[in-house]
Amino acid sequence: MQRYFLATPITATVGQTFTVAGATVKHWIKVMRAQPGDLAEFVTQTQQVVVAELVNSDGQTATATITAVTAPKVELPLPVIIACGLSKGDKPEQIVQRGTELGASAFVFFDSQWTVAKWAANKRERKLDRLAKIAQGAAEQSHRTMIPSVTYEADLTHVLVNTTYDTGVVAWEESAKQGESSQLVQTLKTMTSPQRLLAIFGPEGGLAPQEVNTLQTAGITAVGLGPRIMRAETAPLYLLSSVSFWCELV
Amino acid sequence: MQRYFLATPITATVGQTFTVAGATVKHWIKVMRAQPGDLAEFVTQTQQVVVAELVNSDGQTATATITAVTAPKVELPLPVIIACGLSKGDKPEQIVQRGTELGASAFVFFDSQWTVAKWAANKRERKLDRLAKIAQGAAEQSHRTMIPSVTYEADLTHVLVNTTYDTGVVAWEESAKQGESSQLVQTLKTMTSPQRLLAIFGPEGGLAPQEVNTLQTAGITAVGLGPRIMRAETAPLYLLSSVSFWCELV
């Protein structure tokens, strides 16, 4: 069933009627050609999922009646904020799309000292808008109950200051396990739901020594992600998969 | 340091000289403009890594002397064969590129009953050649010591008959954990290195009931990969990351 995120609060009770507008109507009514009686899923702003039946639409707004209400548990027990140095080409898009499927709660892109890619100030808003749309599409497709936010910070210090998190890690080449298990596992073992994990990734060229110092001073733990070298856009996917495996499957 | 896979066996001893030709010479000498005395890494056919110094080159072949020999442990303790129903667009390329970075030992693409994408018989060899080149490039970049193979099978039955594996799983929507931990964790707990895991993924449209029956008859275990719905090309990355996390970090 098609799924949409609601932009305004509703009363999620069976039999209640609500109205949708904008892009949701455009997609549901014009693209999907929904007819009165057709069903769709809508995610409320409190992460409930309602099934609703189309009553009528004038092409601008649509009215629907709730037929069922659920509150599925599909979000990671430990919210993960993915912070990446700006990388080239469509890598930010790939990180947001796949990272949303894998459960990230937020994405932060930052200007890193060794970043080759730059976002010109006058294009930044447009880039963030585009990434927000990709996050929404991926959240709908993967049946998430929240849309990850996508923001920009001028440097790593601003990421640390402006992000709310309980524990921070930075992806790092780790020569070997430290004792019984890796730093990543040791870190995850100290966390309990709903503590928030900030996971930082350098751009293609890695982080500069000064940035590494900043992270050490802030108490961010360097964690290895296995013995193979991953590209900038693959490492966040490894981390998110590992957090899911650890919290949701083990 | 640039890394190349050797196409022929060599004696991996410090001081030994060997000759390379073909695409390696083209890249090392013409693209990278290596000069006598410059170093590169070469992976032998027995998964050793030698550092070698360029002696001379006539542009067709190059002679190099070994200055160091190592045998790094960078391959997954449980080799994973990724078998995917054919999917559309550049999804096979993405699966091979990222899956190689994440440690897959082999890729098998198969015609699935509900596959929309088809590989015309006369284009199949060219597609496999292209995917093999992507696997080689990704293996070099991620500092693997083997290049994953890429093959094609006409259907799921041929995958099962023509693949050497110890344990098989198929990605499946699992409503909840079965008891203490998920089927994937339970399966991984039964395996010891170097047993081989065959991991099967449907195409975009999923597997047909007849294919599911075939898998059940063959003793393939249905495993869930968390509560979010992943696209066809994301699920193999989740599985590979999880196997690495479990075998290499926990």
Side-chain angles (χ1 to χ4, degrees), chain A residues 94 98 101 238 244 248, chain B residues 94 98 177 231 238 244:
Chain A
Q94 290 191 26
R98 282 171 216 284
E101 286 178 63
Y238 182 104
S244 162
E248 298 176 322
Chain B
Q94 291 193 25
R98 282 172 217 282
K177 283 188 187 184
R231 288 182 305 163
Y238 182 105
S244 162

Side-chain angles (χ1 to χ4, degrees), chain B residues 99-228:
Chain B
T100 298
E101 287 179 61
L102 293 170
S105 74
F107 299 92
V108 185
F109 291 94
F110 62 93
D111 259 322
S112 181
Q113 290 180 21
W114 288 353
T115 287
V116 179
K118 293 283 174 196
W119 284 1
N122 60 342
K123 291 189 180 162
R124 205 174 289 152
E125 283 309 310
R126 224 175 54 199
K127 283 195 180 274
L128 287 174
D129 278 353
R130 180 170 155 67
L131 291 173
K133 283 205 183 72
I134 289 172
Q136 172 157 355
E140 287 170 353
Q141 198 171 25
S142 58
H143 286 202
R144 299 277 306 267
T145 56
M146 64 164 285
I147 305 169
S149 60
V150 186
T151 51
Y152 167 85
E153 297 292 350
D155 57 35
L156 199 46
T157 304
H158 281 83
V159 174
L160 296 173
V161 169
N162 293 335
T163 307
T164 306
Y165 66 97
D166 298 284
T167 302
V169 296
V170 57
W172 202 250
E173 287 179 43
E174 200 180 12
S175 52
K177 283 188 187 184
Q178 305 294 315
E180 289 284 304
S181 61
S182 68
Q183 278 295 341
L184 178 58
V185 173
Q186 290 180 41
T187 301
L188 292 175
K189 279 184 176 167
T190 66
M191 297 185 72
T192 52
S193 181
Q195 285 187 325
R196 293 161 65 87
L197 177 68
L198 169 62
I200 299 168
F201 300 87
E204 294 95 339
L207 296 169
Q210 195 189 323
E211 292 173 316
V212 174
N213 283 346
T214 301
L215 293 175
Q216 281 175 339
T217 307
I220 305 295
T221 306
V223 298
L225 303 176
R228 288 164 298 283

